[in-house]
Amino acid sequence: MPERALKKYFGFDSFKKGQKEVISRILDGQSAAAIFPTGAGKSLCYQLPALLLPAMTLVVSPLLSLMKDQLDFLISRQIPAARLDSTLDRDEINRIFDAARKGELKILMISVERFKNERFRHHLKNMAVSLLVVDEAHCISEWGHNFRPEYLNLPFYRDEFAIPQTLLLTATASPPVIADMGEKFG
């Protein structure tokens, strides 16, 4: 089934090395980590499952420019996706909250700091989320070179909002960072 969806939504005939294993794990209801070099297709590891999972995929990304690039790609493929960030006006944010609550979005991208926003947290309680994706997941570890403290709270947010699965994505992770990421997410 993933191969048909890969062709239908993305126009690709085959997966890159490691993608199918990660995607299959997610579609089997498990959590996963993907440590692939830049350009090896980490984003597809959440984008394809997002289309096949019953509820929305929530993507935590540290870079606004990366979110914008990924969103532009998804929209070009007619994949219902959005991002919440400080560049949006109140009406646009309300429209995104409404679409997410109604189950009209398959992917919602946010920064990790968005979890500190009480309005977002209130709305998130009314959204069905199948998968939490942590892009640049090495930030979870205090050993990560781009450490952001709010990343340490992601396992607690996953539990608080009852998100059943997690996908950790990174291109940068030494063995101690990989062990620390796994330990923090259990």
Side-chain angles (χ1 to χ4, degrees):
M1 179 162 74
E3 288 85 356
R4 281 187 294 210
L6 179 68
K7 182 69 173 173
K8 177 182 177 182
Y9 294 107
F10 300 98
F12 301 136
D13 293 317
S14 61
F15 290 101
K16 291 183 178 183
K17 183 180 178 183
Q19 287 178 323
K20 186 174 181 181
E21 293 79 6
V22 172
I23 290 167
S24 294
R25 189 174 178 98
I26 295 300
L27 293 177
D28 286 342
Q30 301 173 23
S31 291
I35 303 164
F36 296 163
T38 300
K42 289 183 296 294
S43 296
L44 187 73
C45 291
Y46 77 80
Q47 292 169 346
L48 182 62
L51 296 168
L52 303 174
L53 292 171
M56 185 176 70
T57 293
L58 184 63
V59 180
V60 176
S61 179
L63 301 171
L64 185 59
S65 60
L66 181 60
M67 279 193 270
K68 185 181 179 334
D69 289 347
Q70 290 179 356
L71 184 62
D72 289 346
F73 171 76
L74 293 167
I75 290 171
S76 77
R77 294 284 180 185
Q78 283 91 43
I79 296 169
R83 75 178 197 272
L84 287 174
D85 63 56
S86 59
T87 67
L88 303 175
D89 65 33
R90 190 170 189 83
D91 289 340
E92 183 67 8
I93 289 171
N94 286 336
R95 187 193 66 72
I96 292 167
F97 281 148
D98 191 49
R101 184 183 45 77
K102 290 178 179 176
E104 296 170 356
L105 291 179
K106 291 307 287 177
I107 298 172
L108 178 60
M109 298 178 191
I110 63 168
S111 71
V112 69
E113 289 80 13
R114 180 68 53 176
F115 280 104
K116 294 191 295 188
N117 180 297
E118 285 303 317
R119 184 168 177 242
F120 171 73
R121 293 166 61 80
H122 168 76
H123 284 283
L124 185 56
K125 289 178 183 173
N126 297 309
M127 297 175 195
V129 179
S130 288
L131 178 64
L132 172 65
V133 177
V134 182
D135 201 4
E136 303 299 336
H138 61 275
C139 294
I140 291 166
S141 176
E142 291 189 51
W143 297 101
H145 63 80
N146 287 325
F147 176 66
R148 286 166 73 176
E150 198 58 30
Y151 268 79
L152 291 176
N153 292 324
L154 284 171
F156 303 108
Y157 295 138
R158 179 203 55 196
D159 294 343
E160 178 182 350
F161 296 102
I163 302 171
Q165 291 175 259
T166 305
L167 175 59
L168 305 177
L169 300 173
T170 187
T172 308
S174 65
V177 171
I178 293 167
D180 195 36
M181 287 170 21
E183 182 181 312
K184 284 185 170 57
F185 272 92

